[in-house]
């Protein structure tokens, strides 16, 4: 039976589902509109459309490294309630997405969403879960790190996960673990001061000058004071310049060099629910 564009459009208006999903449902039901709606409901399409305007601020954040230790990925799968986020089936489902991503070294979220998961794309599968669970489900973030040595950490509760890469291969497991835990605990915004965008630096300078001005400092001193505040900002917010959490007398960079003089972090990502 030939399915017309008019039928597909009508079903799309009724359900809010995608054009291809509507066409497939109509083909499957030989053009029966009511049965096609049921097909879409079972697959979660209609539920997803109805819940599209809901906030999905809860969820899980997971991270994993591949077998050869050179690729790490972290994924955030969101839902609406903490009750669902703590459900073992939901966590296991998020883990299957991450496992797929790591096994295939998915480069970005769009690539991952297009991958096959049990006969459906990941994107379609997430929509299906909306129908199964009855809450809005979505992929909030997906990040990767590729390096000579990659590491991952999931903070208890699955609300924060971090990944990081070192520039050298070798027996750096203890160091790598310390680095990803540092990132989780201290939330750096950049690797070093060179990697902070200039607009952020300019804003910090202006904030520092304004604070000094409000404190009654002389106008001629404002720039110097602001630069001092900026250096403090770098120390607190860039990973390599942060005080190492296990020994605050040294920086993370110094800790790495104490292990190997050439060792450094080349990249990191930090995912946290609500951020």
């Amino acid at each position: 039976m030939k399915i017309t564009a008019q039928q597909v459009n009508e079903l799309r208006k009724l359900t809010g589902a995608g054009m291809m999903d509507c066409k497939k449902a109509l083909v499957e039901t030989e053009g029966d509109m009511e049965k096609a709606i049921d097909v879409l409901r079972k697959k979660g399409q209609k539920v997803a459309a109805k819940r599209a305007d809901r906030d999905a601020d809860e969820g899980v954040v997971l991270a994993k490294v591949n077998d050869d230790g050179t690729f790490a990925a972290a994924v955030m799968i969101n839902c609406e309630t903490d009750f669902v986020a703590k459900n073992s089936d939901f966590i296991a489902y998020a883990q299957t997405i991450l496992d797929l991503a790591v096994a295939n070294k998915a480069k970005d979220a769009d690539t991952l969403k297009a991958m096959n998961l049990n006969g459906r794309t990941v994107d379609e599968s997430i929509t299906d879960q909306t129908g199964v669970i009855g809450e809005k489900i979505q992929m909030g973030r997906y990040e990767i790190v590729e390096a000579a040595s990659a590491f991952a950490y999931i903070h208890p509760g699955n609300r924060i996960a971090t990944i990081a890469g070192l520039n050298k291969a070798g027996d750096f497991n203890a160091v790598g673990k310390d680095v990803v835990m540092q990132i989780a605990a201290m939330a750096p915004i950049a690797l070093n001061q060179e990697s902070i965008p200039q607009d952020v630096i300019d804003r910090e300078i202006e904030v520092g000058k304004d604070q000094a001005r409000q404190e009654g400092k002389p106008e001629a001193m404002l720039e110097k004071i602001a630069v001092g505040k900026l250096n403090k900002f770098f120390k607190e917010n860039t990973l390599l310049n942060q005080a190492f959490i296990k020994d605050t007398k040294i920086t993370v960079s110094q800790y790495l060099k104490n292990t190997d003089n050439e060792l450094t972090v080349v990249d990191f990502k930090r995912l946290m629910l609500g951020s």
Side-chain angles (χ1 to χ4, degrees), residues 26-135:
L26 286 165
V27 170
E28 184 177 330
T29 60
E30 298 182 342
D32 189 308
M33 194 66 65
E34 291 301 316
K35 288 182 179 179
I37 291 173
D38 287 341
V39 167
L40 291 172
R41 290 184 66 188
K42 288 175 183 177
K43 291 180 178 178
Q45 299 289 350
K46 188 176 182 183
V47 179
K50 284 186 174 181
R51 305 190 75 85
D53 61 344
R54 299 293 291 268
D55 291 327
D57 297 327
E58 288 294 336
V60 296
V61 187
L62 304 174
K64 181 180 180 179
V65 177
N66 71 341
D67 291 340
D68 68 11
T70 61
F71 180 92
V75 68
M76 178 187 295
I77 304 297
N78 293 113
C79 57
E80 294 178 31
T81 66
D82 184 53
F83 176 78
V84 168
K86 292 180 177 178
N87 181 278
S88 59
D89 289 341
F90 179 76
I91 297 170
Y93 173 70
Q95 187 66 52
T96 63
I97 294 176
L98 179 61
D99 290 345
L100 179 70
V102 171
N104 292 278
K105 291 188 176 181
K107 298 293 185 182
D108 52 43
D110 288 340
T111 301
L112 176 55
K113 287 177 181 180
M115 285 182 173
N116 186 295
L117 181 64
N118 301 322
R120 303 274 284 164
T121 66
V122 169
D123 201 30
E124 290 170 336
S125 176
I126 289 173
T127 300
D128 294 345
Q129 286 298 307
T130 295
V132 172
I133 295 171
E135 287 192 8

